[in-house]
Amino acid sequence: MRLVPLLFAAMLVCAGPVYGQDLADVSLSDPRQEAEALALMDSIRCVVCQGQPISGSNADLAGDMRRLIRERIAAGDKPEAVRAMLVGKYGDWVTFRPQVKPATLPLWLVPLLALLAGGWLVSRRIGRRRS
Amino acid sequence: MIAEAGLAALWLAATMALLQLVLGALVLSRGQTSLGRAVAPVAVIQAALVSIAFACLVAVFVRSDMSVLLVAANSHSAKPMIYKIAGTWGNHEGSMLLWVTILGLAGATIALFERTLRADTKLATLSAQAAIALGFYAFLLFASNPFTRISGVIEGAGLNPLLQDPGLAFHPPTLYAGYVGMSAAFSFAVGALITRDVGPTFARAMRPWILGAWILLTIGITAGSYWAYYTLGWGGWWFWDPVENASLMPWLAATALLHSVTVLATRDGLRTWTIMLAVLAFSMSMVGTFLVRSGILTSVHSFAVDPQRGLFILGLLTVYITGAMALFAIRAGTIAEGNRFELVSREAALVINNLILTVVLVVVLAGTLYPLILESINGDKISVGAPYFNSVAGPLAVVLMLLLAAGPLMRWRSDRPRALIDRMAPALFAGATMLLLLAAFGGTIGYLPLVGLVAAAVVGVASIAPLWKRDLKRAPLFTWGMVLAHFGCAVSIAGMASDAAFTKENMVSVAVNETREVGPFAVTLLGVRERPGPNYQILEAVLSISKSATGAPFQMTPQLHAFTQPQMTTNQAAIKTFWNGQLYLTLGENSDGDKFLLRMWWKPFVTFIWLGGALIALGGALSLLGRVRRDIWKKQAAPAIGPVEAPA
Amino acid sequence: MNRKLVLWLPFALMAALLIAFLAGLSNSPEKVIVSQMVGQPLPEFAAGPAITGQAGAATADFRDGKPRLLNVFASWCVPCVAEIPMLMELKANGAEVVGVAVHDNSTDLGRFLAENGNPYSRIGLDQGGRAQIALGSAGVPETFVVDGTGKIIYQHIGVVTEADKAKLLAMLGVTK
């Protein structure tokens, strides 16, 4: 009986990456929580491979972030709170959903302006028919 | 010797392009028409020479001639033949040579086959084509010579394993041919601006090029999306990645152009706007090439990163685009305004469609470039990805869908709103039915997927309405084309919305003989085995799958491929297609003792995304065939003037 | 509005775009993700012992008033090998270096330290990247300077070289 904890301890030290298979790569059992976690993972940028969201990256650190997100969501945290935590660590760069603030306003204002300007141009062409 | 011959052919081709430009300019400025007859043959010779240069590059790749730097850096003698050939354009220099080769062939085609255009406009078009080609020749010869020799290399470095895929071997050529087609449309626009010849004849001459380019871009984007879907191994099919956006932007502009050129050809309206769009579509192709080739943006797909070359392409971009925009600003004022129209009319629907497409283009452009701009202003690093694009472009796409449903059912010039609603009734009924079905059986789905599915139902029915009560045998081919392309949009949107709304995902850790479920399937791991592949090692999971209801089990084998040159592991998803969706299984990289990771997705109707894309391209092809056939037929009969199309 | 002016609008917009591109080319292509924890108290983490005979690392170890370096590294990381001699030199100058090994295991670490030397006073084996994420570290090697009050005052990304030596020692207050 005393052998079991000893073996377990030996495994912990020697078995290589013991974090290999857990919430980093395995779904939460509650489908609603898993859906929340997935939506968040889809919008967090991998800091190692940079082009991809952590939900589609093979980098170790992306896996660590997936694990952290699933753990937090399972513990009842709101996805936005977890996003805010990660932004607090890595800055705005880590979220694919830009925060709305003065510096990012052009992202919404430029298309709006294009729509208004285009609408104005179109309206000038409509209505008065030349015979 | 082959490499030297290729380089010589490239120099000669560049000389021919210069000659073509100088001759054209002389004729246009001095009116020496006798010289004008030489321009077309020069264009053909240029195409022949650049094709020879490209053939030489293919030859050194096929022979694995490691004394050529490009081959040594991108190929490997142990590679399968198809990838040796594809390796020719799987790199920066080769892809640029392919670009200019297609450009030369396009110029030769205009020179040989274009007969409807006024002679001086055709000449101006060929000169513009030569000017574009000249820039790329300079780029190749001075900044990215594909034929540079190197000594002492025995074996090559290999091609990125992710790119060793049959689909991807033909993906870049398709996109490039599309970009080049846009450059032909651009040359037509510049030619018409120079000779002030903007009208229906010009529009009809330009239209096949736009259609052709648009078909190729559609195929390229659709194939690229499917490639990302099955190679990256995470079930995603669109990432709003800069490289993807770079291919989407020209497509959006080309789609707008395609519709506005129809108004110009049929109703002689939207003259300046069509010219503007032609310039914009080519600009976006160039911007796309620049974004991909300069490595200015971080991307999943970034292959070639070289700021020096980025600077060169930026220089070309600046010369062409600002030149064309300045020419536009100076000349467009002298183009008479086209015919006007009322708010409820097919023209108005097409114009508003153009407006929305352009705003979507602005959204994609802003989202792709704003992080770059912000960083250079104050150093702030932000990321703009799927949540932004989906939430901003998504609603615009829905408006676009509704216009797409109504537009083809409207009459030219003016229509009665009541009559339109009558014609739309079956489509609106289909939409309402879909809404009720989703409310009853759909479960909880997001707002955007819901609206998308309803819009798809409306468009799906409305798109085939132009064929109702018509003799199907006598309906012109381009009407069939339009119907098919619009129906394809509905199918594609349905696929996207369905994937977003109904996908079931399960990521599991399993031991042999354990069973896990995803959607309606039960997946059992039978075993994991290792075996050698052609130039990689395969780790393969054997899975037995049974559908809960029917029970008959079948096997699927997701794989990991471990490459040694260069060292890299890629994921080979196992995908099984059913009529109502795809089962998508991948094997994770971290195996832990006897536990293996499986990522499993059941994606209802996800295939509709690419099926729709294929239908859109097919519709475009039918349309192109119909237009070309009618033009040929018309030329043989009598030179007709006036509206080509009867009102629907 | 004047039609002429409208026609020049695309020109102006494109010119603006091209200027943005030019500016973008001068941005570094390799994005360095800087930790937002600089200037903040060292976050809570506890990484157990990485090798037998040497203590692990935890936030509590940084609360005794002595400034320290916190080096995030890994045995599989090639640049980390190049960094070890400089860390040894810093240690020789009186700096205390606490190591946090990420995505690693005891066997590989033991070999790594035997081959390259061990400049660390403590080495924590970071399980599941928890310490790394808590620190806002995006890669290896990264070196944080933690002052006597347990606050992170500086982050060095990449290999520590001769050029960084004086600055790091000054921040630790162990100038020689």
Side-chain angles (χ1 to χ4, degrees):
Chain A
M1 275 289 119
R2 279 194 55 209
L3 212 66
V4 176
L6 262 180
L7 268 176
F8 190 63
M11 267 173 66
L12 264 185
V13 180
C14 309
V18 287
Y19 49 82
Q21 288 185 2
D22 55 12
L23 290 178
D25 298 293
V26 174
S27 298
L28 291 170
S29 50
D30 179 346
R32 198 187 48 80
Q33 286 186 335
E34 174 66 14
E36 273 186 8
L38 274 178
L40 179 60
M41 289 187 255
D42 279 338
S43 66
I44 297 296
R45 191 169 191 167
C46 173
V47 292
V48 180
C49 27
Q50 304 201 346
Q52 292 160 299
I54 55 167
S55 61
S57 165
N58 294 325
D60 286 333
L61 192 54
D64 294 339
M65 287 192 184
R66 290 197 297 270
R67 178 185 310 106
L68 189 71
I69 286 174
R70 284 206 176 94
E71 282 174 358
R72 288 292 190 91
I73 298 285
D77 280 8
K78 288 271 164 289
E80 287 320 299
V82 182
R83 184 196 305 275
M85 184 275 288
L86 286 170
V87 169
K89 300 294 182 191
Y90 293 101
D92 284 342
W93 195 86
V94 83
T95 168
F96 269 125
R97 200 186 69 190
Q99 318 271 322
V100 182
K101 56 182 186 182
T104 60
L105 274 185
L107 281 172
W108 293 272
L109 286 183
V110 168
L112 189 67
L113 270 177
L115 189 64
L116 292 178
W120 174 73
L121 279 176
V122 169
S123 71
R124 296 199 321 164
R125 308 280 304 142
I126 284 180
R128 292 161 289 152
R129 206 197 315 165
R130 203 181 284 170
S131 59
Chain B
M1 268 318 285
I2 297 177
E4 282 67 29
L7 189 59
L10 196 58
W11 271 106
L12 286 173
T15 318
M16 286 296 136
L18 183 63
L19 185 63
Q20 188 179 336
L21 178 63
V22 170
L23 281 177
L26 275 179
V27 177
L28 289 170
S29 59
R30 307 250 173 91
Q32 284 159 312
T33 37
S34 56
L35 283 175
R37 258 173 266 138
V39 172
V42 169
V44 175
I45 296 169
Q46 183 214 326
L49 284 167
V50 72
S51 302
I52 291 171
F54 185 70
C56 290
L57 191 64
V58 175
V60 292
F61 266 89
V62 167
R63 292 157 53 109
S64 294
D65 184 349
M66 295 302 165
S67 69
V68 176
L69 176 63
L70 197 63
V71 182
N74 295 288
S75 195
H76 192 274
S77 59
K79 217 162 56 168
M81 180 53 79
I82 177 176
Y83 301 125
K84 283 189 188 172
I85 297 173
T88 313
W89 54 78
N91 56 76
H92 169 81
E93 290 83 350
S95 63
M96 286 293 118
L97 182 57
L98 177 65
W99 217 109
V100 78
T101 306
I102 303 174
L103 189 67
L105 291 174
T109 312
I110 297 174
L112 288 174
F113 299 109
E114 178 48 59
R115 299 196 195 285
T116 49
L117 215 52
R118 240 167 60 188
D120 58 339
T121 310
K122 179 178 169 182
L123 203 63
T125 303
L126 283 175
S127 307
Q129 197 78 352
I132 298 170
L134 211 51
F136 279 92
Y137 284 125
F139 184 42
L140 276 165
L141 291 168
F142 300 125
S144 9
N145 178 6
F147 297 107
T148 308
R149 291 277 188 184
I150 189 176
S151 58
V153 178
I154 296 148
E155 190 48 276
L159 176 72
N160 183 344
L162 269 181
L163 305 185
Q164 296 190 25
D165 178 280
L168 205 67
F170 298 99
H171 180 244
T174 313
L175 271 185
Y176 283 165
Y179 287 171
V180 171
M182 290 328 305
S183 87
F186 171 81
S187 300
F188 274 102
V190 170
L193 275 175
I194 290 173
T195 59
R196 296 189 177 86
D197 174 26
V198 182
T201 318
F202 153 76
R204 281 197 286 274
M206 180 162 81
R207 181 157 57 185
W209 290 95
I210 301 169
L211 253 173
W214 179 80
I215 294 165
L216 291 168
L217 288 178
T218 308
I219 295 173
I221 293 172
T222 309
S225 156
Y226 195 69
W227 171 79
Y229 173 73
Y230 77 73
T231 44
L232 296 183
W234 294 89
W237 50 272
W238 191 263
F239 300 88
W240 293 106
D241 176 87
V243 169
E244 293 170 347
N245 294 349
S247 68
L248 185 62
M249 289 188 286
W251 184 85
L252 289 167
T255 309
L257 175 60
L258 186 62
H259 289 89
S260 88
V261 81
T262 301
V263 178
L264 181 57
T266 317
R267 304 287 318 156
D268 197 9
L270 304 184
R271 289 178 173 176
T272 40
W273 177 239
T274 302
I275 296 287
M276 181 69 247
L277 276 179
V279 174
L280 189 69
F282 175 66
S283 306
M284 287 304 132
S285 305
M286 288 289 290
V287 166
T289 311
F290 169 73
L291 290 180
V292 175
R293 287 292 150 209
S294 66
I296 192 169
L297 293 164
T298 323
S299 154
V300 195
H301 314 262
S302 52
F303 330 92
V305 177
D306 188 337
Q308 223 48 49
R309 285 170 180 167
L311 211 57
F312 205 118
I313 306 185
L314 187 59
L316 287 182
L317 200 68
T318 310
V319 171
Y320 296 145
I321 299 178
T322 54
M325 292 287 183
L327 184 68
F328 173 81
I330 294 163
R331 279 294 166 90
T334 66
I335 297 171
E337 276 189 42
N339 288 328
R340 289 176 170 271
F341 42 84
E342 300 208 335
L343 179 61
V344 184
S345 69
R346 193 189 284 195
E347 286 98 323
L350 285 170
V351 167
I352 300 172
N353 138 306
N354 267 229
L355 172 62
I356 306 275
L357 278 168
T358 312
V359 175
V360 174
L361 172 62
V362 170
V363 170
V364 178
L365 197 62
T368 310
L369 296 179
Y370 189 65
L372 196 88
I373 295 168
L374 189 64
E375 188 182 344
S376 17
I377 292 174
N378 65 359
D380 271 9
K381 293 191 186 77
I382 62 163
S383 298
V384 178
Y388 165 82
F389 290 110
N390 289 340
S391 67
V392 181
L396 287 168
V398 171
V399 177
L400 199 59
M401 284 291 114
L402 295 177
L403 280 169
L404 192 159
L409 298 176
M410 291 177 162
R411 293 179 194 285
W412 293 107
R413 260 175 48 220
S414 84
D415 202 348
R416 287 179 305 120
R418 276 298 297 275
L420 175 66
I421 292 171
D422 285 351
R423 274 173 246 144
M424 289 280 290
L428 295 174
F429 179 73
T433 311
M434 175 64 91
L435 188 63
L436 285 175
L437 282 174
L438 289 173
F441 308 109
T444 49
I445 46 182
Y447 154 77
L448 205 56
L450 180 77
V451 177
L453 284 167
V454 172
V458 173
V459 173
V461 173
S463 62
I464 50 176
L467 288 177
W468 290 345
K469 297 175 193 163
R470 272 180 93 147
D471 182 354
L472 291 186
K473 280 189 201 129
R474 295 195 58 196
L477 210 49
F478 49 76
T479 305
W480 278 99
M482 176 192 74
V483 166
L484 202 59
H486 285 176
F487 186 70
C489 289
V491 171
S492 198
I493 294 282
M496 295 174 196
S498 171
D499 180 50
F502 306 123
T503 291
K504 295 275 179 284
E505 176 170 274
N506 198 6
M507 300 187 177
V508 296
S509 161
V510 285
V512 173
N513 288 329
E514 281 185 340
T515 302
R516 295 286 186 278
E517 285 178 358
V518 60
F521 298 95
V523 180
T524 309
L525 177 66
L526 295 182
V528 176
R529 61 189 179 207
E530 206 176 337
R531 60 189 174 87
N535 53 344
Y536 48 83
Q537 192 70 16
I538 299 172
L539 185 71
E540 177 175 75
V542 183
L543 305 168
S544 170
I545 295 111
S546 61
K547 204 167 175 178
S548 331
T550 53
F554 53 91
Q555 283 200 354
M556 286 170 75
T557 51
Q559 301 176 333
L560 287 173
H561 292 179
F563 286 80
T564 43
Q565 270 135 2
Q567 210 162 40
M568 184 171 175
T569 303
T570 67
N571 218 308
Q572 204 71 30
I575 301 173
K576 188 162 173 75
T577 308
F578 298 85
W579 69 272
N580 59 344
Q582 278 185 333
L583 181 61
Y584 185 114
L585 305 174
T586 55
L587 177 61
E589 279 186 41
N590 287 334
S591 58
D592 187 13
D594 54 355
K595 286 279 205 178
F596 295 89
L597 289 170
L598 290 178
R599 305 194 289 260
M600 317 193 287
W601 286 271
W602 165 240
K603 293 175 158 286
F605 300 107
V606 70
T607 37
F608 277 30
I609 297 170
W610 307 290
L611 179 67
L615 285 176
I616 295 171
L618 189 63
L622 281 187
S623 208
L624 181 61
L625 199 66
R627 296 288 182 203
V628 170
R629 213 170 63 172
R630 176 167 285 210
D631 284 353
I632 292 169
W633 172 79
K634 247 214 202 104
K635 246 169 271 161
Q636 283 165 350
I641 305 155
V644 183
E645 265 174 299
Chain C
M1 214 197 291
N2 194 334
R3 182 158 187 241
K4 267 212 175 110
L5 231 57
V6 174
L7 291 174
W8 277 101
L9 207 65
F11 178 84
L13 290 176
M14 272 298 160
L17 194 67
L18 293 170
I19 292 168
F21 281 155
L22 193 62
L25 273 180
S26 60
N27 290 349
S28 154
E30 194 58 46
K31 293 279 172 286
V32 176
I33 315 302
V34 179
S35 172
Q36 304 293 304
M37 298 306 288
V38 177
Q40 297 197 41
L42 189 66
E44 283 302 323
F45 73 90
I51 50 170
T52 40
Q54 194 161 19
T59 313
D61 306 331
F62 291 82
R63 289 197 184 121
D64 60 355
K66 184 184 176 191
R68 288 180 178 83
L69 292 179
L70 194 150
N71 181 245
V72 182
F73 76 108
S75 65
W76 46 264
C77 146
V78 180
C80 295
V81 177
E83 190 179 51
I84 294 288
M86 184 40 65
L87 293 180
M88 290 290 216
E89 206 176 320
L90 287 168
K91 183 186 171 192
N93 279 283
E96 185 183 335
V97 189
V98 175
V100 168
V102 296
H103 304 124
D104 221 325
N105 63 70
S106 303
T107 322
D108 292 346
L109 265 174
R111 196 183 310 125
F112 174 87
L113 295 170
E115 279 172 17
N116 304 296
N118 184 349
Y120 303 103
S121 61
R122 299 161 164 272
I123 305 176
L125 183 60
D126 185 22
Q127 298 287 350
R130 282 166 212 282
Q132 194 179 13
I133 295 174
L135 287 163
S137 154
V140 279
E142 283 183 16
T143 306
F144 294 85
V145 180
V146 184
D147 73 2
T149 66
K151 196 171 84 176
I152 301 176
I153 54 172
Y154 182 73
Q155 179 195 24
H156 178 87
I157 295 171
V159 175
V160 176
T161 62
E162 186 68 39
D164 312 305
K165 184 176 145 190
K167 187 162 74 175
L168 289 177
L169 287 175
M171 275 190 275
L172 292 171
V174 286
T175 38
K176 252 191 189 175

